[in-house]
Amino acid sequence: MNELRHLLQEIRNQKPLVHHITNQVTMNFLANGILASGGSPMMAHHYEEAEEAVMAADALVLNIGTIDPSLVKAMVIAGKKAKQLGVPVILDPVGAGLSRLRKDAVQELVEQVSPDVISGNAAEIAFLMKGEWGGKGVDGDLSGNHEELALHAAAKFGSVIAITGERDAVSDGKERITITGGHEILSYVTGTGCFSTSLIGLFLAKSLETSLSACQRAAGALSMLGICAERAQAVSAGPGSFQTALLDELFRLKPEDLKTAGRWSLGGIQGGK
Amino acid sequence: MNELRHLLQEIRNQKPLVHHITNQVTMNFLANGILASGGSPMMAHHYEEAEEAVMAADALVLNIGTIDPSLVKAMVIAGKKAKQLGVPVILDPVGAGLSRLRKDAVQELVEQVSPDVISGNAAEIAFLMKGEWGGKGVDGDLSGNHEELALHAAAKFGSVIAITGERDAVSDGKERITITGGHEILSYVTGTGCFSTSLIGLFLAKSLETSLSACQRAAGALSMLGICAERAQAVSAGPGSFQTALLDELFRLKPEDLKTAGRWSLGGIQGGK
Amino acid sequence: MNELRHLLQEIRNQKPLVHHITNQVTMNFLANGILASGGSPMMAHHYEEAEEAVMAADALVLNIGTIDPSLVKAMVIAGKKAKQLGVPVILDPVGAGLSRLRKDAVQELVEQVSPDVISGNAAEIAFLMKGEWGGKGVDGDLSGNHEELALHAAAKFGSVIAITGERDAVSDGKERITITGGHEILSYVTGTGCFSTSLIGLFLAKSLETSLSACQRAAGALSMLGICAERAQAVSAGPGSFQTALLDELFRLKPEDLKTAGRWSLGGIQGGK
């Protein structure tokens, strides 16, 4: 997919600014991951500067991992400004089902901001679908239906949905892409899920010119992470050295290494579900 | 000690959820350390979701490293809920003697929550004992008396006391365990003290079945950290690579490697003070 | 420069306490960097304990990377107390030009605290000079004039100014030092700029005895970082392993390795601008 390689080259040339209002646990890793991948990270979380920060940004990532009411306020202000300016907004509804605070935050962000992409694990996306996703349990029979879940959630929310897990699924309600690859060790490093979302932000940066759809750009980001994770795992002795090697591999990946052959399965085209 | 090996195996099987209300400096390291050791970390610090978060947790770790009044409020709510639910509470009184804010926070937590374990360095535990620990200086003649200090503090607070340092001491007011091992390089990596406390939380997780006492479980956690630190040091060139290797070794440690022979000295049994 | 080697030896002997009120993104790295270099880091950011924390400190680092009004309040209280006590204050005006919030914070800190050192990149220092730095663009013709900018800013603010970049420039308005070295990979790791500022704080610690000027001490810190960065780069495969190796090299650097020959160019003496 030459167009995807071109996109990564553009990223490396332009260093798009990916602004984050995100959680305290993983923000250092996200900043280092975006730098290593070729972008410029920014973190600023107070609502008084929310609009000004977005005005400098090429993408806006909202992550509710350590949310509080003041952060929700900043996210709504930043998100609305981003939509006005055509800056793509990517939402990671971390632990959406944990509390009323998170549930309300996600609902407010979805309604007020209408994110371009919502990216999370299957449990989080299924939680957002509650009511319309029937009696199917979150950890139960959903496991085999990430593609189905992404498709339905995309239709419901009018956003691209990216579901990360052993196998990633991306859909915009019509197009469907399944991405294989990566490695189980990713689940032993905190922030790799958050970083998927940040990397999608980088691939969707406003300043990049490409003929790819938002769905394909998000899938490109997940492919890059999967390839780099496999390479990092090959030289690691555990999750500590894996995290270090992952940053090295993100930095070292050449556009021509961004192969999707054998990794992408396209819904309706190559017989995806 | 076969029962301790069984406990680590149970941790690996169950992946207990260790909830943290903790400081901003080391939370990423704590999350990665708990993941590497076999648990599931959670961080959520706003008081509005404090009760709900505890309801999902197997242990609750409270660390006052970057405390503020809003966090104290969240800790008290979470701690009380944990006690109601039988979820063990582990308190790390980081820098307790630095300020009135910290002193008051610790006092409120001790009185309102009554933690199952209080884990800190000798200066912090001695500060808590002030008045009853007489004229002995914090950095002075205490150095040789960690076991004594742990014993007295445990009796006073009705909690297990874990004192970490060159040599660790754990007591519940009757039982006394001294743990040797570890490496000085631990003092050149921020968060290794905080991580001792988190790992104690993992070993005390409510969901685990064991015949070990809380005192022994805490000592087991400190033994695991000591063994892994020695292994990590052997393959490190300095504190950066040590931190990376420590996460690798926590992940790689097999239950059968968790040997306490030659590391534990038991008060009253093997002639401990 | 034997006096600089002596200073590093003093740091290793005394482990000065460098207190930070700093941003959430890089605080873990700063703490590990100060530990590796031989100091003792402290982070405490609530205004209620701001004075007490400074009373324990040998230097105070203020970094506005993730500023909010409550942090500004803490910084002003801490800064004023530090000046009273003769504890040096080092300000990093991260992203000063991004927002009104940051601009006002920097102005308040400069006016109320009068920092001993202001340390940032050329864009940040130039922003502070606005009005008096004429029509010269921030990213434009400033690039060749870091020494000039440092000199003028130092005269305007009455502080030592340290400008970090491909080439570092330090001035107190009279003395001028240019430091070469380091490596481009530093720009792919978040927090290396913030760490420059923290390391300057360590080198300026109140408790250290030296005949060096503040300007020379700041330049010594930047030299140490440059030397360690070069050594780390030589054993790294990318920004992940570089960050790890940098901490190792900071720890391993011996005072006698702190050579400035061929690195320092002194204004007016060796023909600096």
Side-chain angles (χ1 to χ4, degrees), chain B residues 48-131:
Chain B
E48 281 186 28
E49 63 179 353
E51 289 208 349
E52 291 159 296
V54 168
M55 289 168 71
D58 295 304
L60 173 64
V61 173
L62 306 176
N63 174 313
I64 65 162
T66 52
I67 200 75
D68 65 42
S70 166
L71 279 176
V72 176
K73 184 174 174 184
M75 288 182 184
V76 171
I77 293 172
K80 284 182 174 175
K81 187 72 183 179
K83 297 301 281 191
Q84 272 179 27
L85 298 172
V87 172
V89 179
I90 299 90
L91 171 66
D92 193 331
V94 180
L98 180 73
S99 66
R100 181 68 186 239
L101 177 67
R102 286 169 199 245
K103 189 186 159 186
D104 289 351
V106 170
Q107 192 172 336
E108 190 172 352
L109 289 167
V110 167
E111 286 175 10
Q112 305 257 327
V113 175
S114 188
D116 297 86
V117 182
I118 303 174
S119 170
N121 62 35
E124 289 154 358
I125 302 299
F127 181 81
L128 268 59
M129 291 292 286
K130 227 162 223 173

Side-chain angles (χ1 to χ4, degrees), chain C residues 6 15 20 39-40 56 91 118 127 131 148 161 164 220 228 230 255 264:
Chain C
H6 172 72
K15 297 185 183 295
H20 292 72
S40 302
L91 171 65
I118 304 174
F127 180 81
E148 195 77 359
I161 301 290
T164 55
C228 293
E230 289 167 18
W264 283 24

